[in-house]
């Protein structure tokens, strides 16, 4: 017997980079919305692209059963940003109109979007265009303002930590320095947490530009004390103090000339500064694939069912969130256009330093 709901029919999509826990969240939203409130559900394929090209279908319970533990997203995803390049992209206003048209053609009362900063920003923009939107915070980067944690982060942290554990034995066997790169273009949460969990000797994150002389000094000190190997954990967006001084265009050029991968750039710099045998490993998409951790399943399910409650109550224009230890929601203007960086006074940075980890400065 279904409880009275303000939302009768809604669309659901996943946008941006995938992550473990998306299917658990889809299941959470759909199960609660369908079973408790009797809502009709339209699955939109491949993020906002599905709304542009009208690629959508009714989801029945069979579609969202057995997906709790599956990686990726049953809906598909894309990096389509309908407002994204509004100043450059001549098609932008056409895309926005097409999406609004599909929304009304499908008879939606609301659109549920599962995504990161970009997706929730797009959601906020559509709210301002008059669409009813509810957002869920997903990303392995854990960099969404308004929530204390995103689903996907915990699974990626476990994968990153295991990789660091495995690198320890090979680094030790060969007496090498190994630089491992984890995802996190703008925010260093993943590298910082995995670095601490895996006992990295040096952790470099975008929020703290590094000085190669400090890194070299730390590695040499370790070598002198009899430690024959070192593990350097770097975020994809790690940068030197020199790079930090460059403007966007000059930095882009620097990376064209020196290689796009932080791990390889830093490994070269370490070799040049110390002469130590150094190798680089980029973990890449392995971090985003596969089954979600138990913690991400729990978070995704809780946020999904909370989103269904917002749908039932007709509370639109919000993103569900973990605030402290409570499941809550924030206005979509909260994450809009922002990145949640690691504060330089965050306790995990002092924790890392307290166990002797060098943060690059
Ligand atoms: O999902 C966010 C993220 O994992 C970032 O850390 C990374 O920069 C980005 O995805 C790369 O993903 P893609 O190649 O799919 O754009």
């Amino acid at each position: 017997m279904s409880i009275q709901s303000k939302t009768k029919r809604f669309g659901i999509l996943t946008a941006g980079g995938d992550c473990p826990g998306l299917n658990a969240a889809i299941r959470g939203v759909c199960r609660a919305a369908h079973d408790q409130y009797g809502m009709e559900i339209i699955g939109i394929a491949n993020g906002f692209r599905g709304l542009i090209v009208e690629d959508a279908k009714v989801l029945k319970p069979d579609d969202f059963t057995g997906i709790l533990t599956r990686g990726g997203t049953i809906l598909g995803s894309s990096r389509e940003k309908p407002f994204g390049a509004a100043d450059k992209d001549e098609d932008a206003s056409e895309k926005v109109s097409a999406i609004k048209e599909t929304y009304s053609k499908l008879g939606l009362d609301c659109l549920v979007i599962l995504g990161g900063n970009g997706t929730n920003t797009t959601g906020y923009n559509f709210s301002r265009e008059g669409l009813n939107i509810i957002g869920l915070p997903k990303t392995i980067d854990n960099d969404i303002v308004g929530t204390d944690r995103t689903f996907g982060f915990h699974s990626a942290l476990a994968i990153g930590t295991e990789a660091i554990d495995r690198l320890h034995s090979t680094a030790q066997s060969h007496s090498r320095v190994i630089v491992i790169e984890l995802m996190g273009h703008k925010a260093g949460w993943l590298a910082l947490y995995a670095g601490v969990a895996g006992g990295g000797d040096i952790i470099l994150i975008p929020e703290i530009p590094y000085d190669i002389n400090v890194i070299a000094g730390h590695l040499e000190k370790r070598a002198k004390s009899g430690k024959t190997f070192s593990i350097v954990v770097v975020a994809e967006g790690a940068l030197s103090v020199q790079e930090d001084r460059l403007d966007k265009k000059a930095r882009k050029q620097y990376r064209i000339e020196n290689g796009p991968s932080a791990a390889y750039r830093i490994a070269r710099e370490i070799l040049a500064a110390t002469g130590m045998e150094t190798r680089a490993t980029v973990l890449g998409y392995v971090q985003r694939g596969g089954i979600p951790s138990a913690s991400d399943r729990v978070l995704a399910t809780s946020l999904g069912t909370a989103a269904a409650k917002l749908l039932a109550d007709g509370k639109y224009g919000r993103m569900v969130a973990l605030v402290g230890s409570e499941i809550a929601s924030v206005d979509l203007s909260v994450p809009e256009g922002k990145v949640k960086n690691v504060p330089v006074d965050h306790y995990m940075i002092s924790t890392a330093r307290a166990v002797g980890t060098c943060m690059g400065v």
Side-chain angles (χ1 to χ4, degrees), residues 71-343:
T73 160
I74 57 161
L75 296 171
S77 190
S78 71
R79 289 219 181 256
E80 181 68 65
K81 287 182 187 146
F83 296 92
D87 52 337
K88 294 180 215 141
D89 187 349
E90 284 170 14
D91 297 339
S93 63
E94 280 173 34
K95 286 177 180 172
V96 171
S97 307
I99 288 173
K100 285 163 74 177
E101 213 174 293
T102 307
Y103 178 96
S104 55
K105 213 190 257 184
L106 292 171
L108 304 181
D109 298 320
C110 182
L111 179 65
V112 175
I113 55 168
L114 285 67
N117 293 314
T119 302
N120 282 289
T121 296
T122 301
Y124 177 66
N125 289 335
F126 275 118
S127 286
R128 296 205 301 181
E129 295 275 333
L131 269 51
N132 293 329
I133 307 286
I134 291 174
L136 277 85
K138 71 88 211 163
T139 166
I140 65 165
D141 296 340
N142 196 34
D143 61 353
I144 302 181
V145 171
T147 186
D148 288 340
R149 188 151 57 84
T150 58
F151 58 86
F153 176 67
H154 188 271
S155 310
L157 170 58
I159 298 163
T161 304
E162 190 193 336
I164 295 169
D165 290 348
R166 288 179 182 277
L167 289 176
H168 264 94
S169 59
T170 175
Q172 189 164 28
S173 306
H174 289 266
S175 301
R176 283 173 175 159
V177 175
I178 297 193
V179 183
I180 175 170
E181 178 179 319
L182 301 182
M183 279 187 173
H185 194 59
K186 292 186 178 147
W189 296 104
L190 195 51
L192 177 60
Y193 275 62
V196 169
D201 304 300
I202 298 176
I203 301 175
L204 305 176
I205 59 174
E207 291 86 348
I208 306 178
Y210 67 84
D211 178 342
I212 190 64
N213 297 315
V214 172
I215 294 172
H218 190 79
L219 293 172
E220 279 155 1
K221 200 169 128 209
R222 267 179 65 78
K224 271 195 200 118
S225 73
K227 306 268 173 59
T228 58
F229 72 97
S230 289
I231 302 290
V232 184
V233 182
V234 308
E236 177 186 6
L239 78 177
S240 65
V241 284
Q242 288 83 0
E243 268 180 272
D244 189 43
R245 285 190 208 117
L246 302 175
D247 63 25
K248 212 173 159 189
K249 202 173 150 206
R251 195 180 301 161
K252 198 171 167 197
Q253 187 56 31
Y254 175 84
R255 289 186 180 175
I256 289 170
E257 285 162 16
N258 293 277
S261 154
Y264 282 89
R265 282 199 310 272
I266 293 165
R268 266 203 309 274
E269 290 173 21
I270 290 173
L271 176 65
T274 65
M276 290 175 179
E277 189 178 8
T278 307
R279 294 285 191 271
T281 296
V282 179
L283 203 52
Y285 296 94
V286 170
Q287 289 158 102
R288 288 202 335 217
I291 60 167
S293 66
S295 174
D296 274 338
R297 294 178 204 182
V298 169
L299 181 62
T301 303
S302 308
L303 292 173
T305 55
K309 178 79 170 76
L310 289 182
L311 283 166
D313 294 342
K315 289 189 180 154
Y316 307 126
R318 303 193 68 76
M319 180 185 79
V320 288
L322 179 72
V323 180
S325 54
E326 298 295 324
I327 298 295
S329 70
V330 296
D331 194 89
L332 270 174
S333 61
V334 174
E336 190 256 337
K338 302 175 195 92
V339 173
K340 187 178 76 182
N341 285 112
V342 179

Side-chain angles (χ1 to χ4, degrees), residues 56-79:
K57 65 164 194 163
V58 174
L59 294 185
K60 293 287 183 199
D62 271 358
D63 296 310
F64 44 84
T65 196
I67 63 169
L68 173 66
T69 62
R70 267 170 66 183
T73 160
I74 57 161
L75 296 171
S77 190
S78 71
R79 289 219 181 256

